[in-house]
Amino acid sequence: QVQLVESGGGLVQAGDSLRLSCAASGRTFSNYGMAWFRQAPGKDREFVARISGSGDSTYYADSVKGRFTISRDNAKNTVYLQMNSLKPEDTAVYYCAARLSILVGYNSWGQGTQVTVSL
């Protein structure tokens, strides 16, 4: 497993942008598929985006497609989530997660970072 620490959350207005970062420990970061999830108050945690270990494959939830971009820098052991055109419904705690294989679930999670989007 890897240890994950998110940062970059905050309070913004609708239409603004934020970039979240997730720093990972360990020397084999490129072996891990990474993802972002989010959980709004009173709701289940939901998938936002994922990226392959090499960074050449990405996938997004329909709700964020075209507005959010996931990327990674394996030299820095960091995955990013660039969030543009933010909406109040994007308000949630955002978590990054890691997995070694698509055959297993995400089994390493960060502590989360709060994103609040006001009107």
Side-chain angles (χ1 to χ4, degrees):
Q1 291 188 343
V2 292
Q3 281 69 53
L4 304 173
V5 179
E6 302 97 333
S7 61
L11 172 63
V12 297
Q13 293 185 324
D16 285 350
S17 298
L18 271 179
R19 188 176 80 156
L20 305 182
S21 298
C22 174
S25 65
R27 298 174 294 175
T28 58
F29 179 64
S30 61
N31 289 347
Y32 289 83
M34 301 295 296
W36 288 95
F37 291 77
R38 66 186 182 186
Q39 187 167 20
K43 295 187 177 181
D44 293 334
R45 186 162 53 191
E46 65 173 356
F47 167 80
V48 175
R50 67 172 183 253
I51 188 167
S52 61
S54 64
D56 61 358
S57 176
T58 58
Y59 184 80
Y60 298 91
D62 287 344
S63 59
V64 307
K65 199 173 297 182
R67 299 188 299 122
F68 290 11
T69 302
I70 189 170
S71 63
R72 65 191 296 161
D73 184 339
N74 286 343
K76 295 182 178 179
N77 281 14
T78 302
V79 63
Y80 304 98
L81 186 67
Q82 177 66 43
M83 305 185 293
N84 298 330
S85 303
L86 282 161
K87 305 175 181 179
E89 51 264 43
D90 294 319
T91 295
V93 177
Y94 283 71
Y95 300 89
C96 69
R99 65 182 180 184
L100 269 176
S101 166
I102 62 172
L103 300 178
V104 298
Y106 292 96
N107 57 0
S108 295
W109 294 83
Q111 83 290 347
T113 186
Q114 176 71 48
V115 172
T116 304
V117 184
S118 64
L119 287 169

